[in-house]
Amino acid sequence: MMRFFQPAVFLIDRLRYPHKFALISFFFALPLALAFYFYLSETGERIDFARREMQGNAYLRPLQKLVEQLPQSMSLADAFLREEPFAVEHLPNKQAEIDEIMRAQQQADRELGNVLAVADQARVVRADWDDLKKHLPSLTPAISNDLHRKLQSDVLSLMSAAGDASNLILDPDLDTYYTMDALLLKLPESLDLLSNIRLFVASHAGQSLTPEQRADLVTQAGIVQANLDKLKKGMKVAFANNPGGTLKAGLDGPLAQYYSAVENLLREISRQADKDRLDSDLNTFHSLSAAALFSNSRLWAQGSLELDKLLAARIEGFQQRRDMLLLLSLGAVLLVTWLWAGFYLSIMRTVANLKTAANRMRDNQDGVTVTLDNRDELAEVAQAFNSVGQALAQSGKKYRSIVENSVTGIFQTSPDGHYLTANPALARMYGYDTAEELIDGVNNIGSQLYLAPGRREEFTQLMAQKGVITDFESEIRRKDGSTIWISENVRLIRDGAGNPRITKAWCRTSPARSAPRKNCSRPRRRRKRPTTPRANSSPTCRTRSARR
């Protein structure tokens, strides 16, 4: 198991904590950032999808009005061409009404035609209407009816194309899907069928129908009934799958009116089809068909508004979830950053406390401990440090006690001849009251202590060559001017670059020459002794009494 984590440990051990945090945060945040990006992308696509549906719904509104008005135009045109007086008065008004709808459709086409890729198809519809209106006086009733039916079919095809291009036909939610199905397919198709039935019955008033005509009338009525049944089923599913219940509240009344009006008209059609001859007085039929057509138009208009509300609510829901996720993510990032900062500061506080405690231990201060409020592994590190510190403190006390109570002089010097440390024994040996007085009073060991000129330089050369000197004997001048002979045992300590840093030594007076010699105006000549260190000897510093 440890081998598996060894590369990670190797990497982490070579990084500082800010880099560790940055590395871990990067690999932790990367998959989250990718998931967040994909979620936002998907949410944006769904919002765009719903907005495109709203564009399609807006584009359908003038087309639906054309589907309503073109059958009436066809009926009036047929009567106009048969020179019926009422048509001469009403046809121009109906044509002006359709012209206004065409202008509204043209405006919608400018805004959305290229977006929905139906601009060319819409231009054909408008051109066909202008051509039909222009040449209508020269047409026969049959040709006029055929051109009106073709124009009606083209408008229905344009509605279908707009529905496909605007994603309406692909809506993913059941409530909006079946509402769209009613607006795009069921209601326009029923409106077209009801208009054709009305025109057919009106044109055959008081006449006997051939078997083929009767069968065609019954077939169209049957299609209307099947369409109505599908609409009822679809809207029932839509209501059941509308979480807020707003769809049923908005469409329940118009739907009930439409169902009743169409069923009443179908019963009248069935009654007329069962008779040998159609009634010459069709007031009841016209009243029922007008109610069915009106309720169809009213239901379509209300359904279009409700569909827009559902799509707007869906977009708002996506946006709210996206904004909430953004806020939560921002809060999480801030919280994680805050926690990372707290973690880093906690570690650095522990490191600082450990460093401070180590410096105090180095300065031989007693009672050094690290106190933390942590309850994690760093607290265990602090406890271990305190245990080590206590052990070192006890060991240091023993060592200081040994050094301070030793009868042997122990000291450290710098390469330029200053005392760095000294024990009381060395101070007494040299005639000083305290070690601090010795350290402050001797600034140049070579000139202030050694009697023989060049003795310090000889000592320095040997130290540089060998690194260790044992039994290096010299005559030393004490504070009061008297002299003694000492024997030094010295080790040279070098820094990382190999340069001399300090010398550690201990020395003592030679037992044979322990008595200090009084200060003389002229130093007596003495025989030089060999200074070659003895091999494998322990580091000792001894003084010898001056020769008599």
Side-chain angles (χ1 to χ4, degrees):
M1 179 64 72
M2 187 61 190
R3 181 176 298 179
F4 175 76
F5 291 104
Q6 189 171 0
V9 174
F10 177 83
L11 175 62
I12 292 297
D13 285 345
R14 280 152 181 79
L15 296 175
R16 296 182 66 84
Y17 274 103
H19 300 153
K20 292 178 184 180
F21 294 155
L23 181 65
I24 295 173
S25 299
F26 172 77
F27 285 109
F28 181 75
L30 181 61
L32 294 179
L34 289 175
F36 187 68
Y37 169 77
F38 289 132
Y39 174 81
L40 289 181
S41 298
E42 183 179 357
T43 302
E45 290 175 0
R46 290 183 176 182
I47 291 174
D48 292 340
F49 191 97
R51 284 175 176 166
R52 197 173 183 87
E53 286 186 272
M54 293 183 71
Q55 291 174 345
N57 190 26
Y59 192 85
L60 292 180
R61 290 190 181 104
L63 296 179
Q64 171 64 17
K65 292 180 179 179
L66 284 177
V67 174
E68 296 173 12
Q69 298 301 324
L70 284 175
Q72 299 178 31
S73 173
M74 180 174 64
S75 177
L76 287 172
D78 183 82
F80 174 80
L81 294 174
R82 297 179 189 279
E83 298 182 354
E84 296 182 11
F86 76 93
V88 176
E89 179 183 355
H90 291 89
L91 180 61
N93 295 332
K94 181 59 63 177
Q95 290 178 340
E97 188 176 350
I98 294 177
D99 286 340
E100 184 64 27
I101 297 173
M102 285 292 183
R103 282 191 289 272
Q105 194 282 323
Q106 187 176 14
Q107 180 62 33
D109 197 55
R110 290 194 191 100
E111 297 174 358
L112 303 171
N114 291 327
V115 175
L116 302 177
V118 292
D120 293 339
Q121 197 170 347
R123 279 193 290 270
V124 171
V125 169
R126 292 194 298 273
D128 288 348
W129 164 249
D130 291 337
D131 188 65
L132 173 60
K133 185 175 61 172
K134 178 180 178 180
H135 296 94
L136 182 63
S138 61
L139 300 178
T140 63
I143 294 176
S144 171
N145 291 341
D146 290 341
L147 291 176
H148 274 90
R149 290 190 182 97
K150 179 181 180 301
L151 184 58
Q152 180 84 334
S153 177
D154 290 344
V155 172
L156 293 174
S157 297
L158 179 56
M159 292 181 70
S160 179
D164 292 341
S166 62
N167 301 323
L168 281 169
I169 200 67
L170 302 174
D171 193 277
D173 296 338
L174 289 176
D175 53 354
T176 49
Y177 173 80
Y178 281 105
T179 303
M180 173 280 308
D181 182 66
L183 298 179
L184 186 62
L185 301 175
K186 299 296 188 298
L187 292 178
E189 183 179 351
S190 294
L191 184 64
D192 184 49
L193 288 170
L194 292 174
S195 299
N196 289 334
I197 291 173
R198 185 184 189 189
L199 181 62
F200 175 81
V201 172
S203 62
H204 292 79
Q207 299 179 14
S208 298
L209 300 180
T210 65
E212 291 79 8
Q213 291 175 331
R214 195 180 304 277
D216 184 59
L217 179 61
V218 172
T219 300
Q220 291 192 60
I223 295 174
V224 172
Q225 182 63 60
N227 193 298
L228 184 66
D229 293 339
K230 291 179 181 179
L231 178 63
K232 289 180 179 180
K233 183 178 179 180
M235 294 311 298
K236 184 177 180 180
V237 174
F239 292 162
N241 289 274
N242 180 237
T246 57
L247 187 61
K248 180 176 176 61
L251 293 182
D252 212 14
L255 274 172
Q257 182 183 7
Y258 176 68
Y259 295 157
S260 176
V262 172
E263 289 170 352
N264 290 335
L265 177 61
L266 290 176
R267 282 193 291 271
E268 177 64 18
I269 292 173
S270 177
R271 189 182 69 82
Q272 293 289 341
D274 290 340
K275 298 175 66 174
D276 294 334
R277 184 186 299 271
L278 295 180
D279 292 340
S280 57
D281 184 5
L282 296 176
N283 289 333
T284 301
F285 174 80
H286 285 307
S287 176
L288 293 175
S289 62
L293 292 174
F294 174 78
S295 62
N296 182 292
S297 300
R298 180 171 179 263
L299 176 59
W300 196 99
Q302 188 63 32
S304 179
L305 292 176
E306 294 299 325
L307 180 60
D308 263 356
K309 291 179 182 179
L310 293 176
L311 294 174
R314 184 193 301 173
I315 292 173
E316 184 179 1
F318 286 142
Q319 290 175 337
Q320 287 178 349
R321 288 193 291 272
R322 180 192 62 189
D323 295 342
M324 182 178 296
L325 180 61
L326 287 172
L327 290 175
L328 289 176
S329 300
L330 179 60
V333 169
L334 293 176
L335 178 61
V336 169
T337 303
W338 181 68
L339 291 174
W340 272 132
F343 183 34
Y344 175 73
L345 293 175
S346 174
I347 292 175
M348 297 311 297
R349 182 188 63 181
T350 302
V351 172
N353 290 339
L354 293 174
K355 186 180 295 185
T356 301
N359 292 335
R360 293 173 62 190
M361 288 181 182
R362 184 190 63 192
D363 296 337
N364 298 323
Q365 297 184 23
D366 296 330
V368 177
T369 58
V370 177
T371 303
L372 297 177
D373 294 332
N374 303 47
R375 298 182 181 180
D376 55 9
E377 291 79 359
L378 290 177
E380 297 178 5
V381 173
Q383 293 174 1
F385 182 87
N386 289 335
S387 300
V388 173
Q390 292 172 1
L392 290 175
Q394 294 176 359
S395 176
K397 287 180 180 180
K398 292 180 181 179
Y399 174 78
R400 288 194 299 272
S401 176
I402 293 173
V403 171
E404 292 175 358
N405 296 317
S406 174
V407 297
T408 301
I410 302 173
F411 61 92
Q412 293 179 340
T413 63
S414 64
D416 58 355
H418 289 79
Y419 279 108
L420 300 176
T421 62
N423 69 339
L426 184 68
R428 291 191 299 269
M429 191 183 303
Y430 289 171
Y432 291 87
D433 294 333
T434 63
E436 289 75 13
E437 183 184 6
L438 170 64
I439 294 172
D440 295 337
V442 178
N443 297 321
N444 191 318
I445 296 175
S447 62
Q448 291 181 254
L449 296 182
Y450 290 97
L451 257 65
R455 188 63 173 164
R456 175 67 179 178
E457 287 72 16
E458 182 181 355
F459 170 85
T460 304
Q461 291 177 2
L462 285 173
M463 183 58 64
Q465 294 173 3
K466 300 179 178 297
V468 177
I469 301 177
T470 58
D471 293 335
F472 186 84
E473 296 181 346
S474 304
E475 190 175 9
I476 298 299
R477 181 183 295 109
R478 302 174 76 238
K479 178 182 177 182
D480 59 4
S482 62
T483 63
I484 57 172
W485 282 85
I486 64 170
S487 178
E488 296 177 280
N489 296 278
V490 188
R491 178 181 296 276
L492 178 64
I493 306 299
R494 298 180 182 273
D495 59 18
N499 300 317
R501 187 165 63 89
I502 61 173
T503 56
K504 295 183 178 181
W506 63 283
C507 67
R508 61 182 177 177
T509 59
S510 176
R513 298 183 172 189
S514 57
R517 186 161 59 91
K518 297 296 182 181
N519 184 27
C520 301
S521 59
R522 287 187 305 161
R524 300 180 63 179
R525 297 180 63 187
R526 58 185 175 81
R527 181 166 56 90
K528 293 184 178 179
R529 294 180 60 86
T531 59
T532 304
R534 293 178 297 179
N536 301 324
S537 60
S538 59
T540 61
C541 170
R542 298 177 300 172
T543 64
R544 296 185 305 164
S545 59
R547 292 196 178 111
R548 301 291 181 182

